[in-house]
Amino acid sequence: MSETTEKITGAAIVTGAGRGIGRAIAVELARHGYHILVDYAGNASAAEETVALCQAEGVDAFAVQADVSDEDAVKGLVKSALERFGRIDVLINNAGITRDNLMLRMSAEDFDLVIEKNLRGAFLMTKYVGKEMLHQRSGRIVNISSVVGVHGNAGQANYAASKAGLIGLTKTTALEYASRGITANAIAPGFIDTDMTKVLPEKVKEAMLQQIPLRQFGRPEDVAKAAAFLASDDARYITGQVLGVDGGMGC
Ligand code: NAP
């Protein structure tokens, strides 16, 4: 690590960083000189690949399996980051799942599950990482919401509610933590090409493409660049905002 020490900017936790958008954010932050804790739910080999990609950027990185909706697991995750890095400068709440269905067919269990993983998870992470950031009197929190959290989407009552809830959580975090120099912002991606969207039928994808003014799906890296900006000093005066990365879908 010695030859790279000069470029170290700080330390970051990225939840759900094994794959997709979370991985792209982890690698982008590593490129900006952050040590990275790669959180994941169950896919250890994907998480280790992300760790290797981050390490290739010359920073320290390691993976921890922790379900962000499990309070004890979150406390353990934060402890691991502090033991390894000594501080946490950036928290990216990216972990998320879908359980799509029209409302009349959606079970209450699937509603609760998505709220639990997507919203309770971000709350717990913000609470326990926020405590450290308050002591440090600095920090950046970026929540990965969705265009669906702003506009709604048929078949995604649970997901849309969780992502709208994340926006409320973001704005409240911004207000509660501002006096200690901590910012909290949300990104609302549109349709991004990842495992989450690969499973959608071609017909649905084609219909979605027609709703995107830029007429192309986004890449995980598009979201990662926005997250790295919001985590940087260049965004020091921006808090409580929702940044669309959606090819114009949110216009
Ligand atoms: P993805 O490819 O399905 O990856 C999701 C990641 O989250 C995986 O690494 C998974 O871990 C992790 N994860 C899931 N539940 C978790 C939990 N309870 N605790 C910890 N980690 C958990 O998804 P993605 O498309 O990259 O999406 C990332 C985020 O962006 C999500 O919040 C999603 O809602 C949001 N988003 C995505 C899109 C899109 O079009 N793709 C659009 C708007 C918003 P494992 O690898 O271990 O399974």
Side-chain angles (χ1 to χ4, degrees), residues 11-197:
I13 296 179
V14 184
T15 70
R19 296 180 282 127
I21 293 171
R23 172 183 284 183
I25 294 174
V27 174
E28 185 66 22
L29 289 177
R31 206 165 281 145
H32 283 76
Y34 288 93
H35 296 316
I36 307 288
L37 188 159
V38 172
D39 159 68
Y40 68 100
N43 191 336
S45 59
E48 287 305 333
E49 274 177 40
T50 304
V51 166
L53 289 168
C54 292
Q55 287 171 341
E57 297 297 334
V59 300
D60 187 13
F62 71 113
V64 175
Q65 190 276 327
D67 177 346
V68 290
S69 68
D70 176 335
E71 191 161 12
D72 287 337
V74 166
K75 285 182 193 172
L77 186 73
V78 174
K79 194 163 169 265
S80 301
L82 291 171
E83 280 170 5
R84 180 92 162 219
F85 303 138
R87 54 186 294 118
I88 305 165
D89 301 284
V90 176
L91 166 63
I92 311 285
N93 282 313
N94 165 79
I97 61 165
T98 51
R99 289 292 182 278
D100 298 350
N101 221 330
L102 292 172
M103 220 181 304
L104 288 181
R105 292 189 200 139
M106 185 178 287
S107 66
E109 289 73 23
D110 273 355
F111 185 86
D112 290 347
L113 184 72
V114 171
I115 298 289
E116 188 182 309
K117 304 297 178 192
N118 296 5
L119 186 54
R120 172 187 159 94
F123 161 71
L124 290 173
M125 288 299 303
T126 302
K127 175 172 172 166
Y128 290 105
V129 173
K131 199 173 156 197
E132 293 306 318
M133 289 178 168
L134 288 169
H135 287 142
Q136 290 170 194
R137 294 186 163 267
S138 66
R140 296 272 187 272
I141 299 171
V142 180
N143 295 326
I144 307 302
S145 176
S146 168
V147 68
V148 163
V150 181
H151 296 281
N153 194 27
Q156 291 197 303
N158 48 5
Y159 184 78
S162 74
K163 294 298 182 181
L166 263 183
I167 292 173
L169 180 69
T170 303
K171 289 177 181 289
T172 301
T173 306
L175 292 172
E176 288 194 13
Y177 293 4
S179 64
R180 303 285 181 96
I182 299 161
T183 67
N185 291 288
I187 295 176
F191 191 109
I192 309 296
D193 190 12
T194 67
D195 291 347
M196 186 177 270
T197 46

